[in-house]
Amino acid sequence: MSKPRIYLDHAATSPLRPEAKAAIEEGFAIWANPSSPHAEGRKAKQALEDARARVKAALGWDGEVIFTSGASESALLAFDNAHVLDEAVSAVEHDAIYTMVLNRGAESIPLRSDGMIDTAALDRLSKEPSRAASGEVENRCLIAVQHVNSETGTRHDIGMVAEVVHGNNGLLLVDCAQSVGKIEIPQIADMVIVSAHKFGGPIGVGALLVRDYAMLNPPGGHERGYRRGTENLPDILGMAAALEAGEWTTTPEDRAKFRESLDKTALRIGEQVDYIVPLTHPTMSAQAQLIRLDAMGFAVSAGSACSSGTLKKSRVLDAFGVPDDVAARTIRVSMGWNTTPEELDAFAEAWSSLK
């Protein structure tokens, strides 16, 4: 019998938790439009609001929760409806945010040599513009900075970013797709992006956490008028259940041991979380590594899932200042809720055998 494959690409997506699957099935049993006035609709509405309260409690969020179809819609909702005049994003944001915002004419915030946000540039871009008439808008600029980078595991100093942005009367949107359900989210953010399938919830559901509805223009529709489209109640229940499940099979000690075993090849960029580990082979290209490891039974990636099928250098690694030859030999190992210590040991052995 062949050995079972080992999945280490959780930054792309994580398997559905059993608790989430059970909650989804319960949701189908009470399925109705939560906005309908009849008894079935009222029952669905009650379940929806219960899930909203559970999500807020699980994340420690005392603001509002707008359910969406995932991170991309949450980002679009924020940028399309925030009461601001200008927008800017960090140079290492996920393509779903970076490309969208730059296509709208926004500016990119560069990084320092240590991989952290350039505070001087951030200060300049988040200041109130001279063209803003007094009282025209409450906030001048919407700044988007991710919490954890999906390719390098680098954790940005959101407290520092918020101090600069709020000091200039701006709004801070934090993409927490890679941190929700794994580490504590930054409560200082004005808006937070949530994606359920990154932590064991279902694909196709997420949320935009908003400090105050007054930050957004309501476009009409559901979710108190802030999102068009009927809520996906079964998957929302699954997301809430996945957040509440919480526990991982590996411990911080297991993940630290894994990192230490590969320390000489781990790519170091700023402060990094322990569940996303970029590895650089001394000689072998990333594509060759993926082919070899896949044949050995390991699912890993090179860069984000949106760009890992291309042969181009990662835009994110370039923005972090990673040399071309290093980027070309770098892959990503990412862990999730059901990763086991034995799987990490097996990968470390396989990685060391690549010549």
Side-chain angles (χ1 to χ4, degrees):
M1 293 180 65
S2 60
K3 293 182 180 179
R5 289 183 59 81
I6 294 176
Y7 183 80
L8 293 171
D9 195 21
H10 291 263
T13 193
S14 270
L16 188 68
R17 283 182 178 267
E19 299 91 342
K21 183 175 184 292
I24 292 169
E25 292 171 348
E26 292 176 9
F28 281 125
I30 59 170
W31 175 242
N33 190 324
S35 296
S36 297
H38 46 62
E40 290 81 358
R42 294 195 303 273
K43 185 176 181 179
K45 181 70 169 180
Q46 182 179 359
L48 176 70
E49 295 308 319
D50 178 66
R52 197 187 313 275
R54 290 163 58 197
V55 167
K56 290 172 65 173
L59 296 176
W61 183 255
D62 61 3
E64 308 296 343
V65 174
I66 301 172
F67 289 120
T68 67
S69 62
S72 296
E73 186 194 349
S74 294
L76 184 63
L77 193 158
F79 279 102
D80 274 355
N81 298 288
H83 291 303
V84 295
L85 289 179
D86 283 323
E87 305 162 346
V89 296
S90 88
V92 292
E93 294 305 299
H94 190 281
D95 278 344
I97 295 176
Y98 186 84
T99 304
M100 173 189 72
V101 177
L102 262 67
N103 284 343
R104 297 154 62 107
E107 293 194 57
S108 174
I109 308 165
L111 306 181
R112 303 186 311 228
S113 59
D114 63 357
M116 295 295 99
I117 300 294
D118 184 324
T119 52
L122 177 64
D123 182 57
R124 174 179 60 83
L125 290 171
S126 60
K127 285 187 183 297
E128 292 186 22
S130 58
R131 71 173 184 272
S134 177
E136 184 178 350
V137 290
E138 182 180 352
N139 299 94
R140 174 266 177 176
C141 194
L142 176 61
I143 301 289
V145 176
Q146 63 195 190
H147 193 194
V148 173
N149 185 267
S150 64
E151 295 188 37
T152 67
T154 302
R155 179 175 177 172
H156 287 293
D157 186 347
I158 300 301
M160 177 275 291
V161 172
E163 183 177 355
V164 175
V165 174
H166 292 158
N168 289 327
N169 201 33
L171 287 178
L172 176 59
L173 170 66
V174 181
D175 179 4
C176 288
Q178 296 295 341
S179 58
V180 167
K182 300 169 184 178
I183 59 176
E184 185 177 355
I185 66 170
Q187 302 293 330
I188 198 170
D190 297 300
M191 290 181 273
V192 171
I193 290 172
V194 176
S195 179
H197 73 99
K198 303 292 188 181
F199 53 81
I203 293 174
V205 66
L208 178 67
L209 311 186
V210 183
R211 180 62 54 199
D212 188 333
Y213 281 135
M215 295 175 175
L216 300 175
N217 174 55
H222 299 272
E223 289 299 279
R224 294 172 171 79
Y226 287 89
R227 190 254 179 173
R228 297 186 183 279
T230 303
E231 293 95 343
N232 180 355
L233 179 59
D235 283 353
I236 287 171
L237 296 178
M239 177 170 69
L243 274 177
E244 290 172 336
E247 293 298 320
W248 280 32
T249 303
T250 57
T251 65
E253 292 73 24
D254 294 327
R255 298 189 290 274
K257 177 185 174 184
F258 173 72
R259 181 86 184 224
E260 289 168 5
S261 71
L262 301 170
D263 187 61
K264 291 182 179 179
T265 54
L267 184 63
R268 299 284 185 178
I269 303 177
E271 178 190 348
Q272 292 168 297
V273 294
D274 62 5
Y275 49 85
I276 297 176
V277 183
L279 298 172
T280 304
H281 194 277
T283 58
M284 191 179 297
S285 72
Q287 293 299 319
Q289 292 173 61
L290 296 187
I291 293 170
R292 290 277 299 278
L293 289 167
D294 188 44
M296 296 166 72
F298 297 93
V300 295
S301 67
S304 70
C306 300
S307 60
S308 60
T310 72
L311 296 177
K312 296 180 180 179
K313 178 184 177 182
S314 162
R315 170 185 62 79
V316 167
L317 293 184
D318 194 43
F320 272 120
V322 178
D324 290 356
D325 65 316
V326 174
R329 292 179 282 110
T330 299
I331 66 170
R332 177 191 70 186
V333 176
S334 51
M335 302 160 235
W337 65 272
N338 64 342
T339 303
T340 68
E342 293 75 20
E343 289 174 334
L344 296 181
D345 290 341
F347 176 85
E349 181 178 353
W351 168 259
S352 300
S353 72
L354 294 181
K355 304 297 182 185

